[in-house]
Amino acid sequence: MTAHGSDNPGPGSEQPSRRAARPRMVGEVLLSEGLISEDQLSVALSEQRSSGMKLGEMLVGQGVISGSTLVRSLANALGVKGVLLRHGLIDPALLHLIGAEEAERLVAIPMFRVHGTLTVAMAEPQSLPAIDRLRELTGMEIRSVLALEDNILEFIRKYAGGDVDVDAFLTSLAESDVEVVERERHDDGPSTDLDQMVEGSPIVNLVNVALLTAVKDKASDIHIEPDKRGTRVRYRIDGSLRDLMKPPPGIHAAVVSRVKIIGKMDIAEKRLPQEGRVRINAEGREIDLRVSSIPTLLGEKLVIRILDKQNLHVRMQDLGFREEALDTFQRVLRQPHGLVLVTGPTGSGKTTTLYSALDLLRSPERNIVTVEDPVEYQLDMVNQIQVHDSIGLSFARTLRSILRQDPDIIMVGEIRDEETARVAVQAALTGHGVLATLHTNDAPGAIARLVDMGVEPYLLSAAVNGVVAQRLARTICPSCTTKYYPSERALADAGLESMVGRPFRKGGGCNECHDTGFKGRMGIYEMMEVTPEIRRMVYRGAPSHELREALRKNSQLGLREEGVRLAIEHRTSLEEVIRVTHNDEDQPDSPPKGASSEDADALGPEHHGDPDERGAAA
């Protein structure tokens, strides 16, 4: 049985060949697992007879199932491992072991080699003649895994056709594709076995392949983790971790040491956390890396933060603000003095929002100074200061020194304690514009958080001009967008009970988005402008829920409501909005203004597609 299936056998076939029986087996597997209905299978088989396409390929192409779903189901039925091929899972240098022509004939591609065992992705992983032929060509033991035939042929032609220089890929990568700009100087002492292992090209190239793949795929972080069976390397794309590669066992210490060397960290210290920084050249541009290590039970874990200026959207118009919220934010920023706060959890894009604000405000006539931990990106016409707690250069101490530097605008990377909060508020009250981040769930909660830190409400009422709360939601992949009907529970959570039966959009999953249905992220923003009414409420110490009710009366939307509007506009899925936004008990149950009528009508006529799609989750 192949990954796709083939033509259905004719009714008069007395001795159906193995190839002719494949579509029946594929259909039975998918049907037995409830992934397709009998009607869908019947329609697909009917279309297959006229088109000649393979059954699995047809179902994937129609969006009935995803490629990863097909692989997983068939692998389970065969009792083998299954994989959806992508860059980073395959060592291109291994293709020459069998040759592109033979690889196409066998529909097989080598993925990686561990000692004397070669793992090969095959369309027919149980074909003994094909495995024997691979063993004969390579002289190694063969471990076969299932992959889609089209997926295999795509990478064979890609690596053999010039997309990757197969012969020189790994050997030249260390000196050309990824180059360390700031290199560590080594003493001329005797080399240990570990030193020789780290400096060897396999380890260097393995690290460089991980870095280059992460940069190409626009990842934000790389996680190098110890595992009972070796090492696990994952990277974070659009906020979600995905497997990048699994290096051979026994080299975890060498990989960690290589990263520590380029990060200017102490490779001998394995008991304490460390931090490092390095700049590399990759994809023709300079990219900063922040390295963090921490000891775990099985060994050291590393996290590499990738700071790529190409992924930094400094222009405020590119962040995803709705027009009304953007106008309000810009109006608040242009006030001559006062405190503007950006709140949200770690990784929600607060620093990017602050940088966009600085981009709006910076000019030769203004003295702008920032205090950050760490300085992630360097901006022109901005004086940026890096906090060093180990030497006593804290946020509060740096802020006091900045106030003696005649600043016009001050940016505080994060308000962490009472001392920093008080200095920031005092700076805002003495004629300075102050931008800062804070960790709270929503915009009204920022006031309560500062009061909890010890800042008096009457000071906050005079100092704070506005608060932005934000989250990052994944956007729908444009290559596989499809209509679907959210469940009644999801509609209820979103306050859209009146929109039952209306179609929304989600991604079906494809190679472009690694079968997630999402590609890229956008911001969801809740804007709280401190009006005279809000200022009076802050002065008398009104709780957060009262501030929130006042915002609703002024037609200012909360995070959940802002996100629902994005889902109605088909920019993300409803379930994604519910995932990233909180549901406050005091939030009104009514849908966003206009969502039940005008926005509902804007969705267009009701979708009359497959009834099995109803209630599907994103």
Side-chain angles (χ1 to χ4, degrees):
M1 176 172 62
T2 64
H4 295 290
S6 183
D7 295 336
N8 203 29
S13 301
E14 295 181 0
Q15 293 181 339
S17 67
R18 180 183 179 187
R19 185 173 182 84
R22 290 170 193 158
R24 184 183 64 83
M25 295 175 67
V26 171
E28 283 183 354
V29 170
L30 298 173
L31 191 61
S32 65
E33 293 187 7
L35 297 172
I36 60 174
S37 66
E38 291 185 0
D39 289 341
Q40 287 174 319
L41 178 58
S42 178
V43 170
L45 287 172
S46 178
E47 292 181 7
Q48 182 202 19
R49 295 187 187 99
S50 60
S51 67
M53 292 180 65
K54 297 174 181 176
L55 182 63
E57 179 183 342
M58 177 176 294
L59 291 171
V60 172
Q62 292 175 345
V64 177
I65 58 174
S66 67
S68 58
T69 298
L70 179 62
V71 170
R72 183 173 60 251
S73 299
L74 295 178
N76 290 339
L78 291 172
V80 298
K81 298 289 185 181
V83 64
L84 196 66
L85 300 177
R86 58 176 173 78
H87 288 297
L89 291 180
I90 307 169
D91 183 349
L94 296 176
L95 184 59
H96 77 278
L97 292 175
I98 61 176
E101 185 177 342
E102 190 71 359
E104 286 203 32
R105 190 185 71 81
L106 297 173
V107 195
I109 185 170
M111 294 179 63
F112 50 86
R113 174 173 53 192
V114 178
H115 302 303
T117 301
L118 183 67
T119 298
V120 182
M122 304 176 64
E124 296 185 7
Q126 292 183 319
S127 172
L128 295 180
I131 292 175
D132 289 340
R133 177 59 176 160
L134 289 169
R135 188 180 295 117
E136 176 185 349
L137 290 170
T138 63
M140 289 182 278
E141 287 299 314
I142 303 299
R143 177 176 177 263
S144 61
V145 297
L146 175 71
L148 301 179
E149 180 174 337
D150 288 349
N151 199 198
I152 294 172
L153 295 177
E154 173 193 355
F155 279 88
I156 292 173
R157 291 159 187 165
K158 189 168 289 186
Y159 290 151
D163 282 16
V164 177
D165 186 353
V166 178
D167 295 329
F169 181 76
L170 291 177
T171 56
S172 66
L173 190 59
E175 298 301 328
S176 60
D177 290 338
V178 178
E179 179 184 355
V180 178
V181 178
E182 300 168 4
R183 295 186 183 274
E184 179 74 7
R185 295 180 180 176
H186 302 283
D187 296 329
D188 295 330
S191 297
T192 64
D193 292 341
L194 182 60
D195 292 332
Q196 294 173 0
M197 190 176 184
V198 168
E199 293 301 327
S201 61
I203 301 301
V204 171
N205 288 329
L206 186 147
V207 172
N208 288 344
V209 166
L211 293 176
L212 185 61
T213 304
V215 170
K216 285 182 176 180
D217 290 350
K218 297 182 179 180
S220 61
D221 303 89
I222 303 174
H223 291 239
I224 302 175
E225 305 163 319
D227 189 87
K228 290 181 179 179
R229 291 164 294 191
T231 305
R232 185 180 186 185
V233 182
R234 299 185 290 171
Y235 61 166
R236 189 180 298 278
I237 300 177
D238 297 335
S240 299
L241 280 172
R242 305 173 189 172
D243 284 330
L244 174 58
M245 63 173 67
K246 286 197 174 181
I251 65 170
H252 181 75
V255 172
V256 169
S257 295
R258 169 60 185 169
V259 176
K260 280 186 169 183
I261 286 173
I262 65 174
K264 298 183 179 180
M265 301 159 69
D266 184 0
I267 64 172
E269 180 56 74
K270 302 179 181 179
R271 300 169 298 172
L272 297 174
Q274 295 186 63
E275 292 184 359
R277 188 160 190 161
V278 64
R279 180 173 298 166
I280 65 172
N281 284 327
E283 293 281 279
R285 59 186 185 274
E286 287 193 350
I287 295 170
D288 287 327
L289 306 177
R290 288 208 329 259
V291 186
S292 171
S293 72
I294 192 168
T296 72
L297 186 63
L298 298 176
E300 288 185 277
K301 172 180 176 175
L302 297 177
V303 175
I304 304 172
R305 171 65 59 87
I306 302 171
L307 304 175
D308 187 353
K309 288 185 179 180
Q310 182 170 295
N311 298 334
L312 177 65
H313 299 291
V314 176
R315 291 180 68 252
M316 195 168 291
Q317 292 80 359
D318 299 333
L319 296 180
F321 276 95
R322 285 193 309 109
E323 186 175 353
E324 298 90 337
L326 180 60
D327 290 342
T328 303
F329 189 33
Q330 291 178 337
R331 182 169 62 248
V332 168
L333 287 173
R334 289 193 173 101
Q335 296 188 27
H337 55 79
L339 177 62
V340 179
L341 296 168
V342 180
T343 75
T346 301
S348 60
K350 300 187 298 296
T351 301
T352 301
T353 300
L354 286 182
Y355 281 169
S356 71
L358 293 179
D359 180 62
L360 177 71
L361 298 172
R362 61 182 174 174
S363 73
E365 291 79 26
R366 287 194 176 106
N367 177 23
I368 301 178
V369 187
T370 75
V371 50
E372 306 171 60
D373 183 23
V375 176
E376 295 192 1
Y377 299 97
Q378 296 180 15
L379 301 176
D380 294 334
M381 293 188 295
V382 177
N383 304 285
Q384 296 172 270
I385 301 171
Q386 168 81 49
V387 167
H388 289 287
D389 287 323
S390 59
I391 61 174
L393 190 62
S394 63
F395 274 107
R397 182 173 180 178
T398 306
L399 266 176
R400 290 195 179 92
S401 298
I402 289 174
L403 291 174
R404 294 190 286 270
Q405 291 283 315
D406 186 31
D408 295 300
I409 298 171
I410 303 169
M411 188 194 92
V412 184
E414 183 182 346
I415 295 179
R416 298 176 178 174
D417 50 46
E418 179 183 353
E419 187 179 11
T420 305
R422 286 189 173 278
V423 176
V425 169
Q426 290 296 337
L429 291 171
T430 54
H432 303 92
V434 180
L435 311 177
T437 71
L438 197 64
H439 285 90
T440 62
N441 286 331
D442 59 6
I447 303 298
R449 175 68 178 135
L450 289 175
V451 171
D452 184 59
M453 284 184 173
V455 182
E456 291 79 2
Y458 73 89
L459 292 177
L460 292 177
S461 68
V464 179
N465 290 335
V467 183
V468 177
Q470 69 179 75
R471 299 290 188 275
L472 289 178
R474 295 175 295 176
T475 52
I476 298 171
C477 174
S479 299
C480 59
T481 179
T482 183
K483 292 181 181 180
Y484 83 112
Y485 295 89
S487 65
E488 292 185 6
R489 172 65 182 274
L491 290 169
D493 288 343
L496 299 177
E497 293 90 339
S498 62
M499 296 180 68
V500 173
R502 295 281 187 172
F504 282 70
R505 287 278 178 177
K506 70 172 183 176
C510 64
N511 289 336
E512 290 290 324
C513 60
H514 302 290
D515 283 302
T516 63
F518 297 100
K519 190 172 184 181
R521 289 191 291 178
M522 66 181 305
I524 302 175
Y525 300 93
E526 175 188 24
M527 183 70 221
M528 183 180 82
E529 183 179 14
V530 180
T531 62
E533 178 189 0
I534 298 292
R535 212 174 287 278
R536 287 190 293 270
M537 295 177 68
V538 173
Y539 181 86
R540 71 169 188 265
S544 297
H545 72 272
E546 291 186 11
L547 293 176
R548 193 175 296 111
E549 286 298 328
L551 293 178
R552 299 295 185 274
K553 291 178 182 178
N554 292 331
S555 300
Q556 296 187 32
L557 304 182
L559 276 170
R560 173 66 59 85
E561 296 166 321
E562 290 278 4
V564 168
R565 281 189 175 272
L566 297 177
I568 290 174
E569 295 170 1
H570 297 162
R571 302 170 73 182
T572 186
S573 71
L574 200 59
E575 286 78 5
E576 175 69 3
V577 169
I578 294 170
R579 183 183 71 85
V580 300
T581 59
H582 68 282
N583 190 15
D584 194 275
E585 292 180 355
D586 297 314
Q587 188 169 315
D589 293 330
S590 59
K593 293 176 176 58
S596 61
S597 56
E598 296 178 6
D599 286 333
D601 294 337
L603 290 174
E606 183 172 346
H607 177 54
H608 297 287
D610 194 326
D612 289 342
E613 246 186 327
R614 296 178 183 272

